[in-house]
Structure formats: C-alpha cells, structure tokens
C-alpha cells in the first residue's frame, strides 16, 4: 500500500518553495491546517484561515477515488460554514486557495487499491463507503515542477527517433543527477538528444557524443540541434565520437557536474563501436581516406557499461553524479549492477514495464579522485558477479522474443487468435490465386488474338 | 562546436594538443538560458578557477578564430582580449578576460570547418557544428 500524499516538515517556507520548484513529480505543496482520521476529526481540529481583505476559493482534492459534485459540495460546506475567510470569493487566482483532501491508498502500480467501480463501470459495494486514510484541510502553498513535463512533451518536437526518451523520465533523471542552472552535463550516448534537452530545460550546459552520424544529423528534420533551436534552448555541444575511445579524444578530467545517459543495450538500437573483427583488413587507399566510412563492430553490454563507468569516474567532478538506465528481466538483481571504486551507488529505482521486463534508474556519486594508472585494474572490477550479469542484459532481446513466441504458441494451442489468422491467411492465398488465374487467362486471351 | 569543447579535445591519434581550427562558417548566438540567473559568467569563472581550462587551448583557439571572427562577426563580437598567460584573480585585467572568455567559450559557434592534428596533419571535419572525431579502422590500434 502506498500513500499518494506525503506529509513532511520543512525548516522554512523558502526551502519548501525551492523544493517545489526543483521537483518533477510533485503536483502541489499544501500547507496543512488540520488533519484527521475522519472528516469530523478534521473539522474539529481546524482553525480559521485567511486575513481580512483576501480573495479565496475552496477546492476538493482526492487521489485514487472519485466523489460526485454534490457530495464534494456537502464536504466543502462542513468546513466553510465553520471558517468562512474574511474576504471575497474569487475563482481565478485568489490569494487563498483552500483545499479539502480525502486520501485513499494506491497499489504498487499507482492504481487505486480500492476502486469504487470495476472496469465495466459497475459499483463495488464494499469500496463505495470505505473511509479515507486521512482527511486534510489545507491551503495551496506552491505548484510543483510538473508543468515542464507538458510544456516540453515529445509530441511538440520536430526531431525524434526510436530511442528518444520520454520527457518526464529524462527530467527525473536529470533531477536525480542534480542538474541545475549552469551545471556542466555530459551524455556519451546522446542519440537524438532527448536527455540533454531536459538537462537544458533545467539550465544545464550540455555536451554529448555519439558514434552514429545518422542519428546526429537526422534525415532532413534538422538533426540533434533542431529541437533545441525550436524551443529556444541553448544549443548543446555535440561531438561525433566513440565512447569506447573516449579517453583518446578528450584530454580528460573535465569536471562534469553530471553524466546522464541511456546506454545502448541493443534492444532498440544495436550498439556499435569503432574497429573491425575481420582478420585481414583491406588497406584504405589514400585518395579515399577522406570519405571512407569507418567500420564498426558489435559493442557488448559488458564493455558498454565498463566504459561508461570508467568515463564517469574520470570525467565527473568529485560529488558529481552518474545517472543511467538499465533494463532487465526478473533474473537481474541489484547486486548484478556494475561497480567502480570511484563511484558509490546512491539510488536505484525499479520501474516495471511488464510482467517480466523492467528497468532501473541508477544514480551513482563520484566519491574518490580518479587515478589514471589504475584504469585497467578498476575496469576489471566492473562486474562484481562476473560476466553473467552483463550477459543477462545482453540476452534480453533474445529472451523477450522467446517469451513472446512461447505466449503465441500457447495461445494457438488454446485456439484463440489462431483461427482468425488462418482464415485471413487463407483468404489472402485465395485472392492471390484468383489474381494469378485472371492474369493467366488474360495472357491467354492476348495470345490468342489474331 | 564552441571553444568550450575545443578546449577538451585532443588528437585521438597522437594526443597532440590543441587541435588547429580552420573555420569557414561561424555563428554568434547570445547565450541566454531558460533560467538565466546571470550565471554563465560564473560557469566560466568556475572552469578557470578549478583549473579545468587549458590555457594553451584558449590561446590557440583564439589565434585560429581571430581573423574570421573579426571579419564575419563584425559588430556582434568586439573587444576580445586573451592574454598569453592565464590571468590570476587579482590581476587588473581579470574581469575583462572573463568577459572575453564568456563570449569566446560559450557564444561563438564553429559551424563548418576542420580540426587538424598539427603533428601529422590528420584532418577532422566539422559539419553542422559537429566535429567528427571517429577513427578509421586502421587507425585504432
């Protein structure tokens, strides 16, 4: 059971206001006047609100429950009749917005734990009159930073790709990386730039690299810079470079405040790095060197992560944050996550994406100075449970395909879906036959013309 | 590519530093973030005081860009002065240098041009503001 409202104490109003401003997930902060286990208790505990000359309105708020307008009005009157603020009612932007909140619990997925109606809209009797967890009487204090989610939604962007990340998640990631005004932010797998876009919204100064020129340049939509230009955000610095060769391209110890990234795991886009696995390379003739397309090879997950942690340990400032996503099936535990002696695991958040699949957002903090001479030794400690951990992620695509095939097979066995598919297939075949027969006849006719 | 990034790049073949810039197209974009808190000057100051800025890179970058900046950004960018050695906070020219650095590192974009490794003349192209630092397969080992 989870509670959708969180009761907390702030040392000052100023701190509460700055928390509200910097969050992505908080909707509002309310200042509590009274709390009660029941409505009667809450009314009993309540104190008068507002100064004379104020403008005010009252709203009813709840989560994971629904109340018809008529009962909302009844509830509101219980409070207002007792404490009518000394001022005029104003529905648009009053100085005082009072709120009465009925709190109900939600399940782990965020859905109501005790829905009042089932999915067909029929009332569930035992839930209709279920009492709330608590009732709050409060005033609206500050809005959270959720408006940014809507303002910069992916729908409004010109340049998107299959790997473009959801705006809300990338904002959360940047926030977890403590990105703020003038933070120096790096994304080594920048792709269409969606993470750096969010970093830029939060005021970051952004640098990104990617090996793939196609994704950076786009197909006429303007490429990675386009969305930044459209939204009037400062342009990011983009370098086409291979993260497996990062230390050869960048002189090092740049002191980034945050590295926020979604590494390529080969699920949406196959990971590649420079070089070739061919034993005998054809020499590149000098006259073609300038427009030769460099060869790439498969970039295994084990190396992707080892390189990411190495680059982070080297390029972050001490106290800087690395934030990344890693998808997995149920067999992957938190202890399977890659490690680095310079980086301390700070947060792990698990997001279920289905019954089997999920992903984690991992936040690491740089706690120790980088030592160049230890690079290889540290890199070898990347996977504490051995290579198997990386293999679990590597084989994700394969396993998901297997699971899907199995599901299909079982479905066919049970008969659903299979019948329909067969007739459709048959119909297609029949149609093809008909066309062919007709064609044949036509040709035959033509041939017989004198 | 701005000089901010140029400052961090070296030749992936020889580690030669700084890379020589030849710019054929540049652009001046005033840097004002969505949350401007008068801050970006602090960003530069912080870079300098945390010794994250390679002064030879700044000097080299400005030497390579000076001509085209004075020609193509006339009226937009003026009065940039970069001393040969990194000024200290109590030098009289310090604030002026910070101002110049702010423009140079954050507001002048090289759109088209090349980066050249001075030791072997290997050319890395800059197109659409993006330098291409990818190595050919026979350059990796």
């Amino acid at each position: 059971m989870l509670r959708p409202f969180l009761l907390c104490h702030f040392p000052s109003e100023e701190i509460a206001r700055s928390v509200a401003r910097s969050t992505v997930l908080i909707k509002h902060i309310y200042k509590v006047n009274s709390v009660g286990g029941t409505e009667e208790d809450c009314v009993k505990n309540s104190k008068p609100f507002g100064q004379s000359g104020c403008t005010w309105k009252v709203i009813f708020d709840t989560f994971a429950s629904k109340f018809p307008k008529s009962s909302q009005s009844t509830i509101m009157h219980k409070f207002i009749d007792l404490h009518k603020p000394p001022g005029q009612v104003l529905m648009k932007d009053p100085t005082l917005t009072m709120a009465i909140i009925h709190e109900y619990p939600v399940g782990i997925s965020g859905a109501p734990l005790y829905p009042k109606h089932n999915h067909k809209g029929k009332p569930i009797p035992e839930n209709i009159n279920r009492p709330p967890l608590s009732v709050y009487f409060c005033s609206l204090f500050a809005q959270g930073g959720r408006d940014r989610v809507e303002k910069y939604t992916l729908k409004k962007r010109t340049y998107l790709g299959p790997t473009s990340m959801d705006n809300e998640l990338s904002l959360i990631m940047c926030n977890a990386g403590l990105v703020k005004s003038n933070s120096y932010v790096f994304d080594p797998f920048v792709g269409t730039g969606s993470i750096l876009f969010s970093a830029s919204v939060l005021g970051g100064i952004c640098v990104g690299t990617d090996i793939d020129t196609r994704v950076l340049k786009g197909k006429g939509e303007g490429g990675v810079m386009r969305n930044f230009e459209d939204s009037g955000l400062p342009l990011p610095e983009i370098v086409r470079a291979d993260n497996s060769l990062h230390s050869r391209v960048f002189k090092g110890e740049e002191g980034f405040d945050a590295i926020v990234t979604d590494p390529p795991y080969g699920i949406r886009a196959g990971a590649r790095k420079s070089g070739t696995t061919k034993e005998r390379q054809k020499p590149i003739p000098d006259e073609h060197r300038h427009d030769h397309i460099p060869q790439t090879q498969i970039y295994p997950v084990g190396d992707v992560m080892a390189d990411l942690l190495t680059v982070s340990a080297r390029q972050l400032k001490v106290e800087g944050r690395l934030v990344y996503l890693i998808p997995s099936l149920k067999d992957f535990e938190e202890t399977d996550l890659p490690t680095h002696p310079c980086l301390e695991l700070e947060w792990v958040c698990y997001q279920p994406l289905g019954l089997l699949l999920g992903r984690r957002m991992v936040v690491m903090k740089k706690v120790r100075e980088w030592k160049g001479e230890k690079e290889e030794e540290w890199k070898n400690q990347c996977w504490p449970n051995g290579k198997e951990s990386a293999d679990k992620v590597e084989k994700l695509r394969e396993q998901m395909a297997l699971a899907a095939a199995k599901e299909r097979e079982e479905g066919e066995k049970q008969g659903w879906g299979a019948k329909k598919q067969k007739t459709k297939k048959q119909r297609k075949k029949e149609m093809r036959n008909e066309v062919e027969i007709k064609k044949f006849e036509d040709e035959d006719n033509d041939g017989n013309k004198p | 590519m701005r000089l901010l990034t140029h400052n961090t790049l070296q030749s992936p073949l020889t580690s030669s530093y700084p890379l020589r810039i030849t710019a054929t197209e540049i652009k001046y974009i005033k840097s004002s973030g969505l949350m401007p808190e008068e801050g970006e000057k602090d960003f530069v100051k912080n870079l300098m005081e945390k010794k994250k800025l390679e002064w030879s890179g700044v000097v080299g970058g400005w030497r390579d860009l000076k001509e085209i900046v004075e020609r193509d950004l006339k009226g937009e960018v003026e009065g940039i002065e970069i001393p040969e050695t990194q000024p200290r906070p109590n030098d009289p020219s310090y604030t002026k240098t910070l101002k110049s650095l702010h423009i140079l590192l954050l507001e002048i974009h090289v759109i088209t041009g090349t980066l050249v490794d001075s030791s072997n003349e290997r050319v890395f192209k800059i197109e659409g503001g993006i330098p291409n630092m990818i190595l050919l397969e026979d350059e990796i080992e």
Side-chain angles (χ1 to χ4, degrees):
Chain A
M1 182 193 89
L2 297 169
R3 301 186 76 136
F5 295 90
L6 178 70
L7 192 62
C8 37
H9 298 270
F10 289 103
S12 74
E13 291 201 346
E14 199 194 331
I15 290 172
R17 216 165 255 126
S18 78
V19 167
R21 238 197 336 263
S22 66
T23 55
V24 180
L25 292 171
I26 290 176
K27 280 190 170 174
H28 313 285
I29 292 185
Y30 291 111
K31 198 169 174 182
V32 176
N33 175 308
S34 66
V35 198
T38 62
E39 221 168 77
E40 286 66 38
D41 280 351
C42 189
V43 172
K44 209 160 61 193
N45 299 339
S46 63
K47 296 170 280 292
F49 249 144
Q51 295 152 344
S52 71
C54 70
T55 53
W56 63 274
K57 71 171 172 182
V58 58
I59 57 169
F60 181 80
D61 195 359
T62 180
F63 198 90
S65 186
K66 269 181 190 163
F67 285 80
K69 278 267 180 285
S70 56
S71 60
Q72 286 188 19
S73 169
T74 320
I75 296 168
M76 284 193 237
H77 271 287
K78 281 185 196 165
F79 288 89
I80 294 312
D81 294 347
L82 196 64
H83 302 299
K84 199 166 191 166
Q88 287 286 314
V89 172
L90 184 67
M91 293 317 283
K92 199 174 176 257
D93 302 323
T95 51
L96 171 69
T97 300
M98 291 180 289
I100 296 147
I101 299 170
H102 277 225
E103 185 183 28
Y104 288 88
V106 291
I108 197 92
S109 64
L113 205 58
Y114 307 116
K116 286 188 173 176
H117 300 276
N118 65 13
H119 63 282
K120 282 180 185 155
K122 274 195 180 158
I124 304 172
E126 67 268 33
N127 288 352
I128 286 281
N129 290 320
R130 189 178 282 275
L133 289 173
S134 324
V135 178
Y136 301 94
F137 184 43
C138 34
S139 62
L140 182 64
F141 177 72
Q143 300 277 357
R146 282 195 70 75
D147 52 323
R148 288 181 294 225
V149 176
E150 193 46 43
K151 188 170 174 197
Y152 297 106
T153 169
L154 288 185
K155 288 178 211 155
K156 294 185 189 163
R157 294 189 204 168
T158 314
Y159 181 52
L160 290 171
T163 55
S164 290
M165 197 195 294
D166 167 50
N167 180 36
E168 184 175 16
L169 181 57
S170 53
L171 275 168
I172 293 169
M173 287 174 76
C174 291
N175 217 13
L178 306 182
V179 174
K180 50 181 187 284
S181 192
N182 283 322
S183 294
Y184 200 12
V185 188
F186 179 55
D187 179 355
F189 305 105
V190 72
T192 58
S194 42
I195 291 181
L196 288 190
F197 184 93
S198 293
S200 219
V201 167
L202 298 178
I205 293 172
C206 303
V207 184
T209 63
D210 206 292
I211 188 170
D212 192 347
T213 180
R214 290 168 304 177
V215 65
L216 294 178
K217 285 187 182 157
K219 281 185 199 152
E221 316 96 311
V224 81
M225 307 283 191
R226 179 62 192 268
N227 297 325
F228 290 82
E229 284 167 351
D230 288 355
S231 303
L233 291 169
L235 295 183
E237 285 294 289
I238 305 291
V239 177
R240 188 179 166 208
D242 178 351
N243 196 49
S244 73
L245 301 174
H246 181 94
S247 62
R248 287 176 64 172
V249 178
F250 290 86
K251 71 176 168 42
E253 297 179 60
E254 258 54 270
F256 292 120
D257 295 300
I259 295 183
V260 187
T261 193
D262 183 16
Y265 296 106
I267 295 169
R268 279 299 185 83
R272 310 290 295 177
K273 65 174 182 175
S274 299
T276 174
T277 43
K278 281 182 200 148
E279 293 245 325
R280 272 190 302 158
Q281 281 179 32
K282 247 196 237 162
I284 308 162
D286 277 348
E287 65 271 28
H288 291 311
R289 290 193 81 83
H290 68 283
D291 60 356
H292 176 80
I293 295 171
Q295 294 195 348
T296 56
Q297 53 181 323
I298 288 169
Y299 194 9
V301 171
D303 296 349
V304 170
M305 296 315 291
D307 287 340
L308 174 63
L309 266 61
T310 303
V311 166
S312 305
R314 180 169 173 247
Q315 298 288 44
L316 283 173
K317 64 168 194 188
V318 173
E319 296 278 299
R321 301 293 200 281
L322 163 67
V323 185
Y324 70 89
L325 291 178
I326 186 164
S328 71
L329 296 173
K330 284 270 183 273
D331 60 346
F332 189 94
E333 308 278 339
E334 238 174 77
T335 49
D336 281 319
L337 288 171
T339 60
H340 193 286
C342 294
L343 304 168
E344 201 174 83
L345 190 65
E346 203 181 19
W347 307 103
V348 185
C349 274
Y350 184 78
Q351 178 190 25
L353 294 171
L355 284 178
L356 298 169
L357 185 70
R359 62 181 170 190
R360 286 185 176 85
M361 181 182 83
V362 180
V363 183
M364 299 182 98
K365 179 163 106 175
K366 181 167 170 181
V367 289
R368 207 195 283 178
E369 290 284 351
W370 164 257
K371 284 194 186 88
E373 69 277 11
K374 293 245 184 186
E375 177 170 349
E376 280 307 308
E377 184 193 322
W378 281 346
K379 208 174 188 171
N380 292 334
Q381 299 172 20
C382 177
W383 296 97
N385 291 351
K387 237 187 85 58
E388 294 78 44
S389 304
D391 286 345
K392 285 180 198 168
V393 182
E394 189 93 64
K395 294 202 177 95
L396 205 54
R397 190 179 183 160
E398 230 169 82
Q399 279 176 299
M400 276 167 60
L402 271 177
K406 207 173 156 193
E407 208 170 273
R408 207 162 40 236
E409 207 172 89
E410 261 165 33
E412 272 169 22
K413 241 185 239 164
Q414 284 170 16
W416 41 265
K419 207 172 173 186
K420 217 174 182 179
Q421 245 175 23
K422 212 173 179 183
T423 52
K424 207 174 175 187
K425 229 183 202 174
Q426 267 178 344
R427 215 184 307 141
K428 243 187 194 167
K429 202 176 174 187
E430 278 163 16
M431 261 167 72
R432 219 176 14 244
N433 283 345
E434 268 169 39
V435 170
E436 264 165 33
I437 289 166
K438 196 161 182 285
K439 229 197 229 161
F440 180 76
E441 280 173 358
D442 285 350
E443 273 171 21
D444 208 32
N445 286 343
D446 285 351
N448 285 342
K449 269 182 189 165
Chain B
M1 186 205 71
R2 290 174 282 189
L3 279 197
L4 174 69
T5 303
H6 170 260
N7 204 270
T8 66
L9 293 175
Q10 61 184 14
S11 164
L13 287 169
T14 61
S15 303
S16 161
Y17 185 90
L19 293 166
R20 195 170 74 237
I21 312 168
T22 36
T24 51
E25 187 192 348
I26 59 170
K27 215 175 180 176
Y28 173 76
I29 304 174
K30 187 144 185 52
S31 69
S32 55
L34 275 193
M35 297 181 185
E37 280 170 28
E38 270 233 320
E40 293 194 320
K41 280 169 198 135
D42 290 344
F43 175 78
V44 170
K45 196 172 165 190
N46 188 42
L47 270 187
M48 207 149 96
E49 285 167 12
K50 292 267 163 63
K51 299 194 174 65
K52 297 295 179 196
L53 209 56
E54 195 67 56
W55 201 255
S56 63
V58 178
V59 172
W62 175 233
R63 189 181 52 227
D64 298 340
L65 289 183
K66 197 171 179 209
E67 202 184 311
I68 187 164
V69 166
E70 284 172 354
R71 193 188 69 205
D72 292 2
L73 302 181
K74 210 171 175 184
E76 286 182 292
V77 175
E78 260 154 25
I80 289 190
E81 274 175 44
I82 299 294
E84 283 298 313
T85 51
Q86 180 167 348
R88 276 191 295 267
N90 48 4
D91 286 356
S93 66
Y94 190 69
T95 336
K96 193 156 194 296
T97 308
L98 276 182
K99 224 171 167 180
S100 293
L101 273 178
H102 179 250
I103 298 167
L104 198 56
L105 294 178
L106 297 175
E107 300 190 323
I108 297 172
H109 296 250
V110 179
I111 308 296
T112 321
T114 56
L115 292 173
V116 184
D117 178 340
S118 307
S119 67
N120 62 5
E121 298 301 307
R122 163 72 152 97
V123 174
F124 300 92
K125 277 188 195 161
I126 306 171
E127 284 172 344
I130 303 174
N132 179 359
M133 304 305 288
I134 298 287
L135 293 175
L136 302 184
E137 56 271 20
D138 62 359
E139 291 174 324
I140 286 168
E141 288 320 320

